[in-house]
Amino acid sequence: MRNAWRFGWMVVLGSAGVACSVELRHDLSEDAANEIIVVLDEAGIAAGKKRGEGAKDAEWVVKVPKGDATRAWRVLKENELPRRRDREFGEVFQKGGLVPSAAEERALFLHALSGKLANMLRAVPSVIDARVHVAVDEAKAIGGDAAKPVSASVVVKERVADGARGLETDAVKRLVAAAVPGLRADAVEVVRVTVAHREAARSAMEQVGPFSVSSGSATALLVVLVVTIGLIVSLSGIALWLVMRLRAARVDT
């Protein structure tokens, strides 16, 4: 009997989750979906993932309770999720098509290099987003005369906890300079945008029967519970009526 009741509550909770959740993001890689779920959990928002219907293996969907959708969107916006990913060399220099000119090839190289550097900076846990622009004098090629150095501009947005220093500007300059032939560290300009790290407010929890749920899901779960209990009572009444009819039929015979 205990297992039957446990199974019944699982069905109720599952029904509540399916009926009352909304799609937050789709076409995600599994890693991106997992990162979103972790960040939302830290903000007190219950989220789940599933494969998109008819989607490729790499495409996932993240869902949240309907009552938490607005706050979930705000959390993703604050954390720049899902993370941007710029094209790198393998995607920029794809085989096929017309052979580019020397100037076009140099521009593609700089675009791919900028994307590679930005993606490297985004891999740092505190970095929310990063942009890199590498420029070169059109009169020379990369790695040419040291009297005509290339330059680079970097914008880094990161979330730093109280008392923490975050990325060091000089470290960013050295990283970019080391990746670009002919680039000196003093030719790299870095702008850091720091967002104060704050503990995400946990959503208010409400007690619905034996369950503790977020306030955004409480009403939906309550409706499901009431409907389920109503069905159980109705079915019990029908079963009792059938038993009484069966007994009456036996007495008559």
Side-chain angles (χ1 to χ4, degrees):
M1 179 62 71
R2 180 178 301 176
N3 291 335
W5 277 106
R6 183 180 301 173
F7 176 77
W9 284 120
M10 291 175 62
V11 171
V12 170
L13 288 176
S15 300
V18 172
C20 307
S21 64
V22 295
E23 184 177 303
L24 188 66
R25 291 303 302 252
H26 58 85
D27 295 339
L28 299 167
S29 67
E30 187 171 12
D31 287 342
N34 290 339
E35 184 176 16
I36 288 175
I37 290 173
V38 169
V39 171
L40 291 177
D41 178 70
E42 292 175 349
I45 301 174
K49 68 177 182 180
K50 71 171 187 176
R51 292 189 186 276
E53 296 181 1
K56 298 178 181 178
D57 291 341
E59 295 178 351
W60 291 79
V61 174
V62 172
K63 290 190 172 186
V64 297
K66 187 175 182 180
D68 293 328
T70 300
R71 194 160 64 90
W73 275 110
R74 185 162 56 249
V75 171
L76 294 192
K77 181 65 176 178
E78 290 175 352
N79 290 275
E80 299 286 348
L81 293 175
R83 290 181 180 269
R84 286 169 43 88
R85 184 187 178 281
D86 292 332
R87 296 195 306 162
E88 299 183 10
F89 291 98
E91 297 151 305
V92 172
F93 290 96
Q94 294 181 351
K95 295 182 179 180
L98 299 175
V99 178
S101 64
E104 291 172 336
E105 187 172 1
R106 186 162 63 251
L108 290 173
F109 177 85
L110 292 173
H111 177 69
L113 181 59
S114 297
K116 178 67 175 179
L117 289 168
N119 290 337
M120 288 175 60
L121 289 170
R122 292 188 190 111
V124 178
S126 64
V127 174
I128 297 173
D129 196 14
R131 307 290 180 91
V132 179
H133 175 70
V134 180
V136 62
D137 190 338
E138 291 295 332
K140 74 174 191 68
I142 296 178
D145 189 352
K148 298 178 181 179
V150 295
S151 62
S153 302
V154 182
V155 178
V156 178
K157 179 181 179 182
E158 58 179 331
R159 190 180 302 280
V160 181
D162 294 338
R165 299 177 59 182
L167 280 176
E168 294 185 1
T169 300
D170 289 342
V172 176
K173 288 185 175 184
R174 291 195 299 269
L175 172 68
V176 175
V180 182
L183 177 63
R184 299 193 312 269
D186 59 5
V188 180
E189 293 293 332
V190 178
V191 175
R192 294 179 60 227
V193 180
T194 303
V195 178
H197 179 82
R198 64 178 184 276
E199 287 295 328
R202 306 294 295 184
S203 62
M205 303 298 287
E206 294 186 14
Q207 197 73 20
V208 179
F211 308 107
S212 295
V213 296
S214 63
S215 56
S217 305
T219 301
L221 179 57
L222 181 60
V223 171
V224 173
L225 288 174
V226 170
V227 172
T228 302
I229 292 172
L231 289 174
I232 293 174
V233 172
S234 298
L235 292 174
S236 299
I238 293 173
L240 180 60
W241 178 78
L242 290 174
V243 170
M244 294 177 64
R245 288 290 303 272
L246 182 60
R247 287 181 178 178
R250 288 179 178 176
V251 171
D252 292 340
T253 58

